[in-house]
Every structure is written in C-alpha cells, then in structure tokens.
Amino acid sequence: MDAPRDTARRTLAGATPLLKKTPTVGPPSDPATESLPLALPAPSAPSPAAPATVSVQTIHPQPVDSRAEIAARRPPKADPELREREALALAGWVALVALLLALASIALVLAQVGLIPHLADGLPDLRSEAVREAGGPVVTGWALAAVTVGGGVALVALAGLLANAGGETRVLSRWGRYRGTVRRTGLLWVNPLLRRRRVDVRLRHWRSEAVQVTDRTGMPIVVRLLVVWRIKDTARASFAIGDHEEYLREQIHAVLTRTASTLPCDSNAAPGPALRDGQWFADELTRSLAAEAAPAGLEVFSAQPLALEYAPEVADSMRRRRLADLDAGLRTVLVDDAVEAAALAVRRLERATTHELDVAARSALMEQLLVAFLAPAGVPSGLPATVPAPAGANAMTKSGKAGREGNRA
C-alpha cells in the first residue's frame, strides 16, 4: 500500500508562528485597535446630505510557520498506477497434456507418411495406402503443416513452463511494461513471450555495519542496527527503483542520522529522555523507516539498535566522565545516609537520656557523628568520649548538689 501523503501543512514542535503582514488600503489606523475587526455597515442607499464614506476592512494576519514550510519533508510519491496485480498463469498439468498431445500427433503424422518405419508385424500398420504402394516415405503438404502446428504447440507448451518455489514470485513484463506477478507456487504455465524476473518475497533481516552519527549534544556515536523487512509490492520494487536493497541501506543511514540527533545518547549530565532509555529509539526508527520504504514497495517490520556506543575518539573521555558522575552520585547517597543516621542517633540519645540537647550541643554531636561515619577505614575519628551535657541538665545537677549539702548541714 502507498504511504499516506499528508497534503496539509505540517508544523514543527516548538516552532514559533510568524505573522504574514498583508498591506491594507486606507488611512493608517490606531495601533491599539489595529487587530480588532471592524464592523461593516449593512448596504443601504446613500443619503444626499451625508458625505460619502469609504469603509475599510482590516485583514487579520494569518500565522505562517516559515520554518515548518522549509523543514517539512515528505516521502517520495509512488506512481499510483504501478501496483502489483496477479498475472495470468495456468496449471502446469494443462501444458504437459498439451505437450504430450502435440508430440503424439507429430509421431502419428510421421508414421503415416512413412518417416517412422513399421517396426513389427504384430503392431498395427499406421502407414497410408500411398506409402505402402510406393514402398517409401511420401511427404505431403498436409503432413508438413500438421507437423509444423504440432511442433509449435509443443514449443509453446514447453517454453511457458516454470517452477515457482515458495517465498518467490515471478514478475512478468513485455518490452519493459509490467504485465503482472505470479505468486502461486508449483509447476505453472505463463505466456512464453513475457520476460520473467525472480523476486524474493521472504522475510529477510539485514545487520548494518557500524554507522557513525551525532546525538543532540554533538557527540559522535556508533550505532549498529538489525532491520527486518520484506518486499510487499513486487511491481514497485522492480520498476519504481533501480536497486531496492541499495535504496533501503541509504534510507536506513538517513533515518538513523535524523533520529539520533533528536536526543542525547546518555542522560547523566542533564536528567531527561535519552537514546539509551526504553524502546523509543527502536520505535521511532521503525516508524520513520517504514514511511520511507513504502513508496519502493518495501515493508519494514522492525529496526532495532544492536549496539549504541560512543565513537573511539571520545569513548575514553566519556567513560571517565561517566565514572565521575557515578562517583559523585555515590558520594551524595553516602552523605545523605550518614546525615539520616546521625540525626536518628541524636534522637535516640535524647530519648534514652530524657534530656533535650540545645542547638550547639546537637550541632557538635552531629558533626562528630558525620566525621565518624564518613571517615575512611583505619583513620581514627575525632569523636570525643563524652557528649556535652545540655544547659538544663547542668543546672539541675548543681541544684541537686546544693540540696544535698543543705541536708547534711
């Protein structure tokens, strides 16, 4: 089937519509009311007392996206008259029967004129009376015509035979004009005056070589694809294009270049979608490639990336950058976990001692705990042996000591 041709104007995502200015006839209007529509008065008979007035109609500017007009690209349009149709093909046994009858007729005529001698007395004598009287072969005009007709029938029946295997078709043409396609399998007979071209319509896959493209950030990347496709319209694949396999390879390269430039390869630096994320890359490749290959009679089922990596000249630097990003992310996770653990330890300490630490004591304790949690193995931490007591606790201790001394006195 043909790829649908969008006759409407297609717009780009994120494009800013430009205003096309249309000149107006009349005096300049107020800029504040220029975009407002003017009400046109109903037609009436002109009054002789009133001066003649000319009504001016403001024409609103139409939004036109010039960038969308320039960037709008459509797949090539195929010839609507060039479509696959079934060719006339008879069963092979019909041609075989005709061939046998023609050969038998030729043998009978040759036996009657004496060109085939009588082999044995027990067999019927097929020679004519004239041959028997003459004692030798007698060739007549009717015999020559019969042998010619029988030979022509045998030649046509034999030349039109073809064996069509499963998964293959025969495209028939005469003097460069398409005459039909034979998709039936087995022994068939077609017009021997037609040229036959074998076309493979089986499901095929093609593994591309390493194709170097650039992503949205300008980084060179290397992509390898696996494309599953087949010939759907044999007429267009044979006559609408010179080499459909070469056309498919070039379209794969073009679609891959256009699709890879829409997103970055990785989303480490900036969060968001990337070429490595999910199935979007494969789905977009399949959709775009199917639209480009349809006018050539090709059907694309899937285009999947087998490998997606950076080019050798930037692979080492991107690998180091990725490791640095992972290290930074790991450090952030460790610090967050240490802060949560320190806060939990302070809260448990306050619940165990039933005393609430002041801000200074809590900050000092949190600092010492973070140093202890984040210190490398084998490095002693500066955590003090005692925790500073809160101010309220010191006052209560002093009042308790004073009370005990008064009791003693």
Side-chain angles (χ1 to χ4, degrees):
M1 296 178 66
D2 292 338
R5 180 181 178 91
D6 186 9
T7 57
R9 177 180 302 163
R10 292 191 281 180
T11 59
L12 294 177
T16 304
L18 303 179
L19 298 180
K20 180 187 291 184
K21 295 184 178 180
T22 306
T24 59
V25 180
S29 58
D30 188 4
T33 61
E34 184 177 0
S35 60
L36 299 177
L38 298 180
L40 297 179
S44 60
S47 175
T53 59
V54 179
S55 61
V56 179
Q57 181 181 3
T58 302
I59 301 176
H60 295 282
Q62 299 295 331
V64 177
D65 193 351
S66 59
R67 288 181 294 177
E69 285 190 58
I70 297 175
R73 186 199 50 77
R74 300 180 179 88
K77 183 180 179 181
D79 186 4
E81 297 181 358
L82 185 60
R83 292 177 179 271
E84 179 180 329
R85 60 178 182 270
E86 186 178 0
L88 177 61
L90 302 179
W93 64 267
V94 176
L96 291 178
V97 170
L99 176 63
L100 293 177
L101 291 178
L103 294 179
S105 301
I106 293 174
L108 179 60
V109 172
L110 293 179
Q112 288 181 353
V113 298
L115 294 178
I116 297 178
H118 184 65
L119 300 179
D121 295 336
L123 296 177
D125 191 3
L126 301 178
R127 294 177 298 175
S128 61
E129 296 294 336
V131 174
R132 292 174 185 174
E133 294 176 358
V138 178
V139 179
T140 59
W142 71 268
L144 185 60
V147 170
T148 303
V149 172
V153 171
L155 182 62
V156 170
L158 185 61
L161 289 175
L162 66 87
N164 207 14
E168 293 183 353
T169 61
R170 300 299 175 94
V171 178
L172 307 181
S173 62
R174 178 188 297 168
W175 299 315
R177 186 177 180 182
Y178 175 66
R179 291 295 182 179
T181 301
V182 180
R183 284 185 175 265
R184 295 169 55 185
T185 58
L187 185 63
L188 304 170
W189 181 89
V190 296
N191 189 350
L193 300 180
L194 299 178
R195 181 187 176 186
R196 312 165 195 176
R197 183 183 301 180
R198 181 180 300 174
V199 178
D200 189 359
V201 294
R202 292 175 294 182
L203 193 65
R204 288 186 279 179
H205 68 277
W206 180 69
R207 184 188 298 266
S208 69
E209 300 295 334
V211 182
Q212 183 169 348
V213 295
T214 56
D215 63 354
R216 185 174 182 177
T217 60
M219 286 293 179
I221 58 177
V222 177
V223 185
R224 292 179 177 86
L225 295 179
L226 178 65
V227 181
V228 180
W229 63 284
R230 70 180 178 92
I231 296 179
K232 185 177 182 180
D233 195 315
T234 57
R236 292 182 177 178
S238 301
F239 297 96
I241 195 170
D243 188 353
H244 59 271
E245 294 185 0
E246 182 67 21
Y247 174 80
L248 181 62
R249 284 193 293 267
E250 296 298 332
Q251 289 298 327
I252 289 173
H253 196 173
V255 169
L256 177 60
T257 303
R258 185 173 65 251
T259 307
S261 62
T262 57
L263 291 177
C265 183
D266 291 312
S267 58
N268 296 331
L275 297 179
R276 297 185 189 271
D277 298 340
Q279 194 65 21
W280 177 88
F281 192 29
D283 294 342
E284 186 66 18
L285 284 175
T286 303
R287 184 192 63 81
S288 302
L289 188 58
E292 296 290 342
L298 308 179
E299 184 177 10
V300 178
F301 294 95
S302 66
Q304 307 176 26
L306 296 178
L308 180 60
E309 55 190 12
Y310 288 98
E313 57 268 19
V314 297
D316 294 337
S317 60
M318 294 304 298
R319 188 179 299 109
R320 290 193 298 268
R321 179 180 177 182
R322 189 178 306 169
L323 292 176
D325 294 339
L326 292 176
D327 190 15
L330 180 60
R331 289 178 182 274
T332 303
V333 173
L334 291 178
V335 170
D336 294 341
D337 293 344
V339 170
E340 293 180 1
L344 181 60
V346 171
R347 288 195 297 270
R348 288 185 177 181
L349 180 62
E350 290 178 346
R351 286 196 299 267
T353 58
T354 65
H355 295 296
E356 184 177 358
L357 301 176
D358 57 359
V359 178
R362 186 181 291 107
S363 300
L365 182 57
M366 287 282 295
E367 181 181 356
Q368 296 297 331
L369 289 175
L370 289 177
V371 172
F373 291 158
L374 299 178
V379 178
S381 62
L383 183 65
T386 60
V387 178
N394 294 334
M396 293 178 60
T397 304
K398 291 180 180 180
S399 61
K401 289 181 179 180
R404 286 195 298 271
E405 291 178 358
N407 293 334
R408 290 176 183 176

